[in-house]
Amino acid sequence: MITLTIDGNSIQAAPGTTVMEAALAHGIDIPRLCYHPELSISGNCRLCMVEVEGWLNPTISCSLECQEGMVVRTQSAQLTAIRREILGLLLSDHPLNCLVCDKAGSCILQKYAYEVGLAGTPYPVEVARPLHQDDNPFFIRDHQFCIMCSRCVRVCDEVVGAHAIDIAGRGFHNHIATPFDGPMIDSSCVFCGSCVQVCPTAALLPASRKGLGREWELDRIKTICGYCGVGCEIEFAVKDGEILYARGTPEGPVNGEFLCTKGRYGWDFAESPDRLTQPLIRRDLAYALGLTDTPWALPETSVLEVEKPNIEDSFIPVDWDTALDVTATKLAETVQTYGPDAVMGLASARCTNEENYLFQKLMRLGIGTNNVDHCARL
Amino acid sequence: MTNSIREIRDADCIFITGSNTAESHPVLSYEVVRAAKRGAHVVILDPRRVPLVDHATLFLQAKPGTDIYIFLAMMHVIVREGWDDQAFIAERTEGYDAFVEVLRPYTPERAALMTGVPIEQIEAAARIYALGERADGASLYGDGRGHSTILYAMGITQRRNGTDLVMTLANLAMLCGQVGKPSTGVNPLRGQSNVQGACDVGCLVNVLPGYQNVTDAARRQAVAARWGVEDLPGAVGLTVVEAMDAAAEGKVRAAYIMGENPMLSDPNTTHVEAALRTLDFLVVQDIFLSDTAQLAHVVLPAASSLEKDGTITNTERRVQLIYPVIPPPGVARPDWEITGEIGARLDERLGRDRDPATWRFPSTAAIMEEIAAVTPIYGGILHPRLEGAGLQWPCPNADHPGTPILHTAAFSRGKGFFNLVEAQDPAELPDAEYPLILSTGRVLYHYHTGTMTRRSAPLNWREPGGYVEINPEDAAAAGLANGDEVVIESRRGAVQTWVKVSTDVPPGTVFIAFHWREAPANMLTQDHTLDPVAKIPEYKVCAVRLKKPHAAQEAAASAAD
């Protein structure tokens, strides 16, 4: 292990550890924009400058390997002046839209401007990238807020493996682009939103949240994704009982902060008007039970031929007691007439352990059969 | 999975077969991408050029249903070249000598002939996997050979010899000592959020919670005692495909279906619909009026996974808590409450004097306490312990930290046994009448029967409808171009959809995802030959032919005359 000193603290670090990593691991916060712990080092923002005793000039800590006996300072008047200068330059190219910006409150540029007390920029303002692209329903690309940190480019290549975007152009007029600036859908983008996840500013925003709530108004609720078997943790941002957007967090035990397109954007099914909201009894059974006066028979054409089923055509709504009593009665009649093995149960790979446990208990103990299966085979 | 997802990034070699990882398990594929970027070898064996092939160092594109010849040939080469791990074999396994005899005729030459994969590729895959070779960089593990991991999914299991194939992959791992340590193992990637847990807690015809055989009287009676009865049924039940047959024959008269849509997910849809219509009583509990629910006598509205609490178990055996994010619509209730109510009312109807607390629980945490009491592998899994990162089973008691890696010191039966497996061809091969092979699977933007994802606006925008992937050679032979409509016919039925000409499928093979109710792939799949052990249908191979829509109509009309 290497021993070095950061801000007066004696710190042990494994060989190969950077000063940024060592500092963060010991709760010493170094300002940073382009650095992300899951991505390669870019070193383009220069905000993480530190002073090393005996070195002539400050240097960036994200790419600086710890050395034995190194003495590092992360805060000084000189460093604050440098960081103010860098932030001032970034703001000369970034609209100060914080009053109406959806990212306000979680924007990292705003956070550091606040910390160094920068209300604006000393430089003439010229927005280099006025491009606003909302060519898909997943996310909005508003390039005027982009600070060219390249986190999005790196996550797309290094983690997702899609490499749908890269830096195009040179100098002041460079920007993040798909091949030939084509629409996102024509690129290799898989719409996982990992770029949105790591974007420090409002350059990349979930389309679902635009204008619907400020960061500090949102409740954050973590749960596990309901799609495939990977079991990613998702943090939902909820306002007044409605989901505004979803994101990952670094604490996700399986996925860290990364998600796929279904996990990050596929939650709106729950708010579909097609959701079942009350118990239903099919009209022929309802007639037999005296719940309706109109006789009815199930059409013989395949249900797959029905383009969009209309619930009222085939079912009548009932209360829970009626539905549960009819169900229990019919199952009991089948058991009494034909025996327990005349009943089968299909449990669900999309329900919880507790629900599936109770389901097989019902089939084995309540009905008395091992005819209980689910789509593990399908 | 024998191992954990986060170990994949540190593997030296990742061997992926029968898994479209980037589309079916995208976040797990990120681990593979990271490993590849660090210099790991990624070897993919699949009939389709799946998207992750972009990151592969070796791609073996075998004809559908022939992979068994490659696995056996890889092991033949490994034994021939002395790349097997003799120390592991001697210490941890048995049955090696007989096993090596079986491998003898499965030469790489024979495999190349059967699969269309060059001998050199088969030998390279064998070497890279066995020795855990890297494409670049140094191994994180300095303990002899590099660490190789196997990832597989339904391309291996949805086959008439799926059980044989899984045992073959286990043999391969044991042969090379690539099991029981980090970044190795035999790792099935499970397709649904809680398919692992549904199996763990006993929603299978032959096992009680915790994989305790229903035929084992002592185990069965122990569970029965906890449930307050002397014994439980001891005969293995009917699996889903068998139960559909039994329904069609009038032996099964009633069905309770919770959150499943067999109308789209089961093979031979025409037969499934006929079977469901035959039932005296069908109750479906779901969040949407699925195609299956349309046939139900009673439909019970359930809360979705975003609207309730409880636990689900992921593919690495990690039991994690879920939390309600939004309220359920209308009077929809969590499934556990509904099932519990049915249980209590059923007892009343059957005149049983049983405590309703058997069914009506105060919370999901209370249900988990009962699961822990009857399920040895979940013995220490209780809700308060799951905050944060959850626990990986086996977790037999309240002090146990969980098990990220299985079989580190011994296998479940003690020594690992080399099962003897011979190659077997798919049940329904192409012929003059049906000259193409159909394979089914998923696309990135949709999930299972599409009831959820097709109602998601962004996902549906990106992938609004179904299509069939056809190789340019087959498309040209059939006179079909990109975007044309086409009818695909099998011996079970016909499906009309759009053509997507693609070199991702090899000549002679077409591919359809099973998400689309307007083009239901399972109209075509076969249900006549299941895997004899797992009773899984062979979704990955059946014989089909292509027709232009007007030709199909004319043929149907003349057949009707």
Side-chain angles (χ1 to χ4, degrees):
Chain A
M1 295 293 271
I2 293 166
T3 305
L4 73 162
T5 304
I6 305 180
D7 291 347
N9 304 291
S10 177
I11 282 172
Q12 301 263 314
T17 309
T18 63
V19 169
M20 171 74 86
E21 289 164 345
L24 291 178
H26 290 82
I28 299 166
D29 197 29
I30 302 177
R32 58 202 181 277
L33 282 166
C34 71
Y35 173 82
H36 189 285
E38 301 278 352
L39 304 177
S40 65
I41 299 301
S42 171
N44 68 62
C45 80
R46 319 308 284 177
L47 209 60
C48 70
M49 290 267 187
V50 294
E51 293 169 351
V52 182
E53 209 163 274
W55 290 30
L56 204 57
N57 292 315
T59 186
I60 54 171
S61 59
C62 64
S63 65
L64 178 64
E65 276 193 22
C66 295
Q67 290 165 28
E68 185 62 40
M70 196 178 237
V71 177
V72 178
R73 269 187 306 278
T74 73
Q75 302 294 337
S76 73
Q78 181 190 216
L79 290 171
T80 302
I82 291 172
R83 289 174 189 147
R84 271 184 75 95
E85 189 67 18
I86 292 168
L87 291 166
L89 285 164
L90 287 171
L91 292 179
S92 74
D93 179 20
H94 181 105
L96 300 178
N97 275 22
C98 303
L99 286 175
V100 292
C101 180
D102 288 285
K103 200 68 181 270
S106 67
C107 171
I108 310 179
L109 184 61
Q110 185 192 44
K111 167 184 144 88
Y112 290 130
Y114 176 85
E115 282 180 10
V116 298
L118 203 59
T121 177
Y123 298 99
V125 174
E126 185 188 350
V127 175
R129 292 169 285 272
L131 199 57
H132 180 96
Q133 293 172 305
D134 55 355
D135 59 10
N136 71 80
F138 296 88
F139 50 81
I140 298 163
R141 290 179 287 160
D142 200 343
H143 295 256
Q144 60 182 338
F145 298 115
C146 177
I147 56 170
M148 296 303 292
C149 70
S150 81
R151 283 187 185 192
C152 55
V153 172
R154 282 176 283 150
V155 77
C156 189
D157 176 36
E158 295 168 12
V159 177
V160 181
H163 203 164
I165 46 175
D166 213 323
I167 297 173
R170 287 191 177 270
F172 195 60
H173 295 290
N174 64 2
H175 70 291
I176 308 295
T178 54
F180 309 105
D181 270 325
M184 216 72 218
I185 197 169
D186 293 338
S187 74
S188 56
C189 176
V190 291
F191 293 102
C192 68
S194 296
C195 52
V196 182
Q197 174 83 34
V198 298
C199 180
T201 71
L204 289 163
L205 269 188
S208 58
R209 72 166 299 184
K210 185 72 181 167
L212 295 180
R214 313 302 297 268
E215 286 287 293
W216 51 86
E217 297 172 318
L218 309 178
D219 296 323
R220 308 279 177 184
I221 304 171
K222 286 186 185 178
T223 190
I224 306 297
C225 181
Y227 285 116
C228 82
V230 175
C232 298
E233 187 180 86
I234 304 179
E235 185 185 83
F236 286 95
V238 179
K239 188 181 168 193
D240 302 330
E242 287 191 10
I243 296 170
L244 289 201
Y245 70 98
R247 68 181 183 190
T249 71
E251 297 81 40
V254 176
N255 55 309
E257 58 189 288
F258 304 114
L259 297 168
C260 78
T261 186
K262 294 187 284 287
R264 195 183 296 274
Y265 298 109
W267 40 264
D268 53 330
F269 74 88
E271 295 160 357
S272 161
D274 295 347
R275 281 291 298 275
L276 293 170
T277 58
Q278 51 195 345
L280 306 168
I281 293 188
R282 206 168 77 192
R283 287 186 171 276
D284 48 349
L285 178 59
Y287 180 74
L289 295 169
L291 297 170
T292 167
D293 299 332
T294 319
W296 187 84
L298 183 65
E300 281 175 22
T301 47
S302 168
V303 290
L304 293 168
E305 306 279 325
V306 182
E307 199 166 318
K308 174 104 179 155
N310 183 2
I311 289 177
E312 287 76 38
D313 288 351
S314 314
F315 296 92
I316 63 162
V318 294
D319 58 28
W320 271 111
D321 270 335
T322 307
L324 293 167
D325 283 338
V326 169
T327 300
T329 303
K330 288 287 178 185
L331 292 175
E333 280 172 12
T334 307
V335 171
Q336 284 165 332
T337 312
Y338 300 102
D341 288 335
V343 182
M344 71 153 162
L346 288 185
S348 178
R350 289 159 289 277
C351 287
T352 63
N353 289 318
E354 292 79 359
E355 289 161 345
N356 280 298
Y357 172 80
L358 209 52
F359 190 93
Q360 60 87 37
K361 186 181 181 185
L362 174 81
M363 295 307 294
R364 293 192 159 109
L365 177 66
I367 303 280
T369 181
N370 283 314
N371 291 344
V372 55
D373 203 6
H374 71 289
C375 67
R377 294 164 224 280
L378 309 176
Chain B
M1 290 171 71
T2 59
N3 290 58
S4 298
I5 293 168
R6 287 240 181 158
E7 294 168 27
I8 297 169
R9 65 179 68 176
D10 296 325
D12 298 304
C13 162
I14 303 169
F15 182 31
I16 304 174
T17 180
S19 160
N20 182 0
T21 322
E23 295 198 75
S24 297
H25 302 89
V27 174
L28 196 139
S29 81
Y30 302 168
E31 293 285 324
V32 179
V33 170
R34 287 173 173 217
K37 298 271 179 191
R38 291 178 188 183
H41 264 300
V42 176
V43 180
I44 298 182
L45 166 57
D46 207 287
R48 289 176 75 210
R49 191 193 180 286
V50 292
L52 207 47
V53 170
D54 287 348
H55 298 275
T57 47
L58 187 59
F59 173 42
L60 285 62
Q61 191 166 21
K63 290 176 198 160
T66 64
D67 49 1
I68 183 72
Y69 291 98
I70 292 187
F71 299 135
L72 293 170
M74 282 171 68
M75 293 191 285
H76 176 106
V77 172
I78 288 166
V79 171
R80 186 186 74 197
E81 300 295 327
W83 294 331
D84 48 359
D85 186 340
Q86 283 298 333
F88 184 91
I89 291 163
E91 195 187 327
R92 297 281 309 269
T93 72
E94 56 195 31
Y96 174 76
D97 293 337
F99 173 66
V100 170
E101 279 310 305
V102 171
L103 292 180
R104 206 171 290 279
Y106 291 100
T107 61
E109 290 76 10
R110 182 176 171 194
L113 211 61
M114 295 303 295
T115 64
V117 175
I119 295 167
E120 305 73 51
Q121 286 192 0
I122 298 169
E123 290 179 338
R127 189 190 70 246
I128 291 165
Y129 174 79
L131 304 177
E133 284 186 5
R134 297 181 66 82
D136 190 24
S139 175
L140 202 73
Y141 304 104
D143 55 357
R145 62 178 76 202
H147 288 207
S148 296
T149 184
I150 298 172
L151 310 180
Y152 74 91
M154 292 308 213
I156 290 295
T157 54
Q158 285 174 343
R159 306 273 294 280
R160 62 93 57 93
N161 54 340
T163 305
D164 277 356
L165 283 158
V166 172
M167 290 197 297
T168 299
L169 294 177
N171 287 343
L172 177 61
M174 288 199 300
L175 187 67
C176 304
Q178 297 287 10
V179 61
K181 46 188 189 179
S183 305
T184 66
V186 183
N187 298 296
L189 312 183
R190 311 217 56 177
Q192 289 103 9
S193 57
N194 199 33
V195 65
Q196 183 66 54
C199 295
D200 297 345
V201 301
C203 289
L204 293 170
V205 297
N206 59 333
V207 288
L208 292 158
Y211 305 100
Q212 307 178 83
N213 281 319
V214 296
T215 52
D216 181 335
R219 296 290 198 101
R220 192 176 69 235
Q221 283 156 13
V223 175
R226 182 67 180 72
W227 289 352
V229 291
E230 269 181 34
D231 207 347
L232 292 164
V236 172
L238 297 172
T239 63
V240 46
V241 179
E242 294 171 317
M244 289 299 168
D245 290 342
E249 291 164 17
K251 290 178 188 155
V252 161
R253 315 288 300 210
Y256 176 14
I257 299 178
M258 168 174 82
E260 292 269 296
N261 188 11
M263 272 298 295
L264 287 190
S265 63
D266 288 23
N268 194 358
T269 307
T270 308
H271 175 67
V272 171
E273 179 160 3
L276 292 173
R277 283 173 179 266
T278 310
L279 294 167
D280 295 341
F281 182 67
L282 172 62
V283 52
V284 172
Q285 182 173 315
D286 213 317
I287 64 172
F288 293 110
L289 192 71
S290 67
D291 299 294
T292 305
Q294 284 189 58
L295 295 168
H297 297 88
V298 174
V299 178
L300 304 173
S304 79
S305 62
L306 290 167
E307 297 150 2
K308 61 187 176 187
D309 64 17
T311 62
I312 58 176
T313 305
N314 78 352
T315 190
E316 56 171 7
R317 299 168 280 106
R318 187 185 298 274
V319 187
Q320 303 188 95
L321 290 166
I322 66 166
Y323 296 90
V325 176
I326 49 175
V331 296
R333 298 170 75 177
D335 293 273
W336 60 276
E337 286 186 22
I338 306 172
T339 304
E341 278 302 321
I342 293 173
R345 289 165 202 243
L346 184 68
D347 269 357
E348 278 173 33
R349 297 295 182 287
L350 292 170
R352 294 185 186 130
D353 183 24
R354 183 157 38 215
D355 184 354
T358 306
W359 308 111
R360 292 186 178 124
F361 284 80
S363 65
T364 56
I367 303 176
M368 187 51 100
E369 285 171 23
E370 184 173 310
I371 296 175
V374 301
T375 313
I377 54 174
Y378 275 56
I381 293 184
L382 298 164
H383 281 199
R385 293 193 68 199
L386 300 177
E387 302 278 343
L391 281 167
Q392 285 173 280
W393 69 257
C395 178
N397 58 63
D399 301 320
H400 195 283
T403 312
I405 304 176
L406 296 177
H407 318 311
T408 49
F411 290 99
S412 308
R413 68 182 289 278
K415 293 216 171 191
F417 185 74
F418 283 103
N419 280 290
L420 307 182
V421 172
E422 299 273 1
Q424 200 173 16
D425 294 325
E428 192 177 274
L429 289 168
D431 54 21
E433 211 181 341
Y434 294 92
L436 299 170
I437 290 178
L438 169 74
S439 198
T440 67
R442 293 184 180 181
V443 301
L444 172 63
Y445 299 92
H446 289 292
Y447 175 70
H448 223 244
T449 67
T451 52
M452 298 193 291
T453 49
R454 299 200 75 192
R455 289 182 173 90
S456 166
L459 299 177
N460 214 45
W461 172 87
R462 180 61 185 80
E463 203 74 273
Y467 53 83
V468 55
E469 284 181 11
I470 305 176
N471 184 275
E473 280 183 30
D474 297 320
L480 293 165
N482 221 13
D484 283 356
E485 282 199 89
V486 63
V487 175
I488 308 149
E489 294 178 341
S490 80
R491 291 182 175 85
R492 270 73 51 191
V495 157
Q496 184 164 332
T497 187
W498 282 268
V499 172
K500 184 174 173 183
V501 177
S502 168
T503 52
D504 291 350
V505 284
T509 300
V510 298
F511 172 85
I512 319 182
F514 69 109
H515 313 298
W516 326 105
R517 65 183 297 274
E518 67 278 20
N522 285 317
M523 279 283 188
L524 306 168
T525 52
Q526 64 93 351
D527 59 346
H528 53 71
T529 309
L530 308 178
D531 177 88
V533 181
K535 307 288 172 67
I536 198 168
E538 192 160 43
Y539 285 136
K540 299 306 179 195
V541 184
C542 74
V544 296
R545 64 187 175 209
L546 305 177
K547 277 203 178 142
K548 292 189 174 179
H550 63 86
Q553 278 163 14
E554 282 164 19
S558 68
D561 297 341

